[in-house]
């Protein structure tokens, strides 16, 4: 770190400087990391923009820039009436479309708030990059009010010679108001999952343990057979389907049947700012013989990355001289980037779990055994609850539910299953509503439970219990 020493009462800043140094951030100027698209359709953007617009009106004559960022430090919006500070912030790339996390810009207010998930104030000389020392930044993380996950941040930036006494308090108030507004508007809204940066996994000797091997339904078998025929003919396959439906497992299973001697690598889509590293990490595998690469979630890739992949797939040859086999997965073929879509010969659909109920219990037993290392049984009541649920998140959700239940008991009963399986309501619930629903389900799924006993335990009348069951669309199998 530079000769300048940080005061002992700011250990978070010292740690941030050390991280910035490890990231290789320039001490002199911010190196811009830009994305061509900004998601303005998220609940965070909608609520944050409304809150900051109201705050901007009260600060009309103040040189304060108000910003919303996502959880990766991507600036989604910037509101400010002062042209001089706007021009200055443009020069250091603190603008919509640019990433300003620690690894991009070093120690700064919003980067520190996201890294530590805590309110942060970074004054002039406390910035790692000298190009930012003309500003003081206050930022506060915004958490998703339903999941508790980091959604993004609210950032307020002003000149370093301006008073900063109230800056952090204003940022905290704006972040709190944004969270409250998100909670109020979240009913009935499905939150969009953020991309996860992941490296590839190797499927080879352990393939027989893959999730798809437990599926027995006709729809699944037909999809695997269709992909197998295409692989055997040397065609390029795209497997499409809902998130969590098992697209990669289907492709792995079919390819293993067609070419049992080849190993299979699954390269999952990266976070937006990790695309370069992601490509560098696994694309050398394309030159190796007896290797098939499954690239998952290609519909989320930036256009330039899709173009690079298309060039690699069409130009790289194995040692044997033949083209490297590969598979693409996406939610829908129409969403495939043009350069990659044009390479596809066959499209195979992975059927959603709700359309193949015969697979639910075999998969559940498979996931439970993997969790505990030995077979786990399910009661008839638990089996009915699992098979009658509609599984909106498909196999991914089933895996999560079963692993949690199997960790609680040797014999899984319906009381070990989460309340979400007994409520078919389509609307998002507030935390209080979810707690109430969960308690009602818990009482109704206890051994020997009746509505009368549940009402007595909860201090409600039977009429209230029935009304709440209708409100939350609670359906307990066998009741």
């Amino acid at each position: 770190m530079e000769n300048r020493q940080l005061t002992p009462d700011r250990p978070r800043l010292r740690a941030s400087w050390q991280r910035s140094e490890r990231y290789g951030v320039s001490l002199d100027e911010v190196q811009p990391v830009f994305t061509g698209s900004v998601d303005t359709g998220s609940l965070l953007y909608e609520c944050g923009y409304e809150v900051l617009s109201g705050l901007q009106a009260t600060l009309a004559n103040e040189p304060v820039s108000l910003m919303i960022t996502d959880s990766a430090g991507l600036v989604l919006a910037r509101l400010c009436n002062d042209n001089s500070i706007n021009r200055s912030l443009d020069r250091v790339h603190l603008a919509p479309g640019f990433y300003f996390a620690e690894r991009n810009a070093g120690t700064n207010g919003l980067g520190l708030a996201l890294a530590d998930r805590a309110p942060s104030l970074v004054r002039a000389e406390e910035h790692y990059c000298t190009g930012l020392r003309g500003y003081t930044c206050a930022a506060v993380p915004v958490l998703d009010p339903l999941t508790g996950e980091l959604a993004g941040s609210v950032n307020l930036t002003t000149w370093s010679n301006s008073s900063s006494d109230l800056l952090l308090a204003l940022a905290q108030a704006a972040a709190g108001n944004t969270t409250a507004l998100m909670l109020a508007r979240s009913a009935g809204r499905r939150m969009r999952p953020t991309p996860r940066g992941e490296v590839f996994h190797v499927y080879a000797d352990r393939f027989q343990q893959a999730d798809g091997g437990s599926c027995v339904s006709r729809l699944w078998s037909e999809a695997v057979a269709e992909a197998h025929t295409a692989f055997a003919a040397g065609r390029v396959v795209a497997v499409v389907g809902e998130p969590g439906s098992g697209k990669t497992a289907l492709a792995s299973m079919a390819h293993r049947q067609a070419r049992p001697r080849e190993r299979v690598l699954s390269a999952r889509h990266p976070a937006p700012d990790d695309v370069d590293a992601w490509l560098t990490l696994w694309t050398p595998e394309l030159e190796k013989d007896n290797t098939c690469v499954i690239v998952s979630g290609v519909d989320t890739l930036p256009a330039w990355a899709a173009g690079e992949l298309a060039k690699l797939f069409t130009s790289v040859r194995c040692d044997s001289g033949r083209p490297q086999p590969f598979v693409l997965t996406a939610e829908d073929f129409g969403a495939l980037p043009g350069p990659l879509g044009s390479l596809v010969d066959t499209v195979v659909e992975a059927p959603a779990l709700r359309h193949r109920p015969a697979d639910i219990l075999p998969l559940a037993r498979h996931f439970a055994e993997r969790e505990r290392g030995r077979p786990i049984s399910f009661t008839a009541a638990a089996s009915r609850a699992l098979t009658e649920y509609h599984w909106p998140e498909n196999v991914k959700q089933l895996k999560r539910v079963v692993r949690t239940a199997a960790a609680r008991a040797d014999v899984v009963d319906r009381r070990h299953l989460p309340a979400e399986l007994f409520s078919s309501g389509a609307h998002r619930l507030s935390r209080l509503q979810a707690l109430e629903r969960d308690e009602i389900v818990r009482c109704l799924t206890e051994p020997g439970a009746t509505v009368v006993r549940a009402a007595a335990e909860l201090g409600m009348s039977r009429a209230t219990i029935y009304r709440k069951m209708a409100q939350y669309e609670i359906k307990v199998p066998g009741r």
Side-chain angles (χ1 to χ4, degrees):
M1 244 183 336
E2 209 182 47
N3 291 332
R4 178 181 176 279
Q5 295 295 316
L6 294 173
T7 55
D9 63 334
R10 305 299 296 273
R12 287 178 57 208
L13 284 169
R14 187 179 300 107
S16 178
W17 272 52
Q18 291 168 348
R19 290 193 298 268
S20 302
E21 187 175 35
R22 288 199 302 271
Y23 293 146
V25 176
S26 170
L27 279 165
D28 301 318
E29 60 181 359
V30 176
Q31 303 295 326
V33 178
F34 180 73
T35 180
S37 61
V38 172
D39 181 10
T40 59
S42 67
L43 189 60
L44 169 67
Y45 180 91
E46 173 189 315
C47 297
Y49 194 91
E50 184 170 329
V51 169
L52 292 188
S53 294
L55 180 57
Q56 181 189 22
T58 68
L59 299 172
N61 298 318
E62 298 293 330
V64 179
S65 180
L66 317 174
M67 281 164 265
I68 311 163
T69 81
D70 69 7
S71 59
L74 173 64
V75 181
L76 303 177
R78 188 182 74 190
L79 293 80
C80 183
N81 292 323
D82 190 298
N83 290 331
S84 61
I85 197 168
N86 279 334
R87 288 192 295 268
S88 181
L89 292 175
D90 285 341
R91 287 194 290 271
V92 296
H93 313 294
L94 186 47
F98 286 91
Y99 286 92
F100 230 75
E102 281 183 341
R103 65 174 60 251
N104 309 121
T107 302
N108 68 90
L110 74 87
L112 185 58
L114 293 172
D116 290 350
R117 292 179 61 139
S120 303
L121 179 68
V122 177
R123 299 180 178 88
E125 295 300 312
E126 293 169 340
H127 287 91
Y128 183 81
C129 177
T130 58
L132 299 178
R133 293 182 183 172
Y135 313 99
T136 291
C137 303
V140 178
V142 176
L143 304 184
D144 186 304
L146 298 178
T147 66
E149 296 178 355
L150 182 65
S153 75
V154 168
N155 176 59
L156 274 61
T157 296
T158 187
W159 301 117
S160 58
N161 57 4
S162 300
S163 173
S164 61
D165 293 342
L166 294 178
L167 204 63
L168 187 56
L170 286 172
Q172 287 177 300
N177 291 339
T178 298
T179 300
L181 194 57
M182 289 173 68
L183 180 60
R185 294 183 179 175
S186 60
R189 188 165 186 148
R190 293 185 63 83
M191 301 299 283
R192 182 177 303 174
T194 54
R196 298 174 301 161
E198 299 184 52
V199 298
F200 58 75
H201 302 281
V202 178
Y203 297 90
D205 295 338
R206 68 182 184 91
F207 175 79
Q208 297 302 325
Q209 304 299 319
D211 302 343
S214 300
C215 298
V216 297
S217 67
R218 178 182 59 81
L219 281 178
W220 179 265
S221 299
E222 289 176 350
V224 172
E226 184 180 359
H228 171 271
T229 300
F231 289 139
R235 296 197 289 267
V236 175
V237 175
V239 182
V240 301
E242 295 178 8
S245 57
K247 297 184 288 293
T248 299
L250 188 154
S252 299
M253 187 174 183
H255 193 277
R256 182 69 172 180
Q257 291 177 3
R259 303 180 184 277
R261 294 183 178 277
E262 288 189 349
R263 63 174 183 156
V264 178
L265 303 183
S266 175
R268 301 184 186 276
H269 65 274
D273 54 347
D274 289 336
V275 173
D276 277 327
W278 178 74
L279 289 170
T280 302
L281 179 66
W282 68 265
T283 50
E285 301 295 322
L286 291 174
E287 299 177 357
K288 297 181 180 178
D289 275 327
N290 301 318
T291 298
C292 174
V293 176
I294 301 174
V295 187
S296 303
V298 294
D299 47 336
T300 67
L301 290 176
W304 70 267
E308 286 297 311
L309 276 182
K311 290 178 184 177
L312 286 168
F313 285 142
T314 54
S315 63
V316 173
R317 294 289 188 273
C318 304
D319 292 340
S320 60
R322 67 181 180 88
Q324 181 66 53
F326 65 94
V327 185
L328 308 175
T329 80
E331 287 190 34
D332 180 79
F333 178 76
L336 283 174
L340 290 173
S342 63
L343 302 179
V344 173
D345 301 311
T346 301
V347 179
V348 177
E349 182 176 5
L353 187 57
R354 64 182 175 276
H355 298 317
R356 43 191 180 98
D359 290 335
I360 293 174
L361 289 181
L363 282 170
R365 296 187 186 101
H366 167 68
F367 294 140
E369 183 173 352
R370 275 179 37 180
E371 174 66 24
R372 295 289 298 276
R374 58 185 176 81
I376 299 296
S377 60
F378 295 79
T379 66
S383 297
R384 283 198 302 273
L386 291 171
T387 53
E388 292 179 9
Y389 187 60
H390 58 288
W391 300 108
E393 298 177 53
N394 291 294
V395 179
K396 178 181 177 182
Q397 184 183 15
L398 175 64
K399 182 187 297 186
R400 182 176 68 246
V401 165
V402 168
R403 285 181 172 177
T404 301
R408 297 177 59 193
D410 293 333
V411 179
V412 175
D413 194 11
R414 66 186 180 187
R415 70 179 183 275
H416 301 123
L417 301 174
E420 63 189 89
L421 267 64
F422 304 97
S423 174
S424 58
H427 296 295
R428 283 275 190 172
L429 302 180
S430 70
R431 285 186 176 180
L432 287 178
Q433 289 174 322
L435 286 171
E436 183 177 56
R437 179 204 62 185
D438 292 356
E439 279 299 290
I440 293 172
V441 169
R442 180 186 64 78
C443 292
L444 291 174
T445 55
E446 290 290 337
T450 64
V451 173
V452 174
R453 287 180 56 182
E457 183 174 349
L458 294 169
M460 297 179 180
S461 67
R462 280 189 297 168
T464 300
I465 287 284
Y466 282 120
R467 180 170 57 81
K468 293 290 186 181
M469 290 176 67
Q471 176 186 347
Y472 298 132
E473 300 182 38
I474 295 172
K475 298 176 181 177
V476 180
R479 186 169 304 287

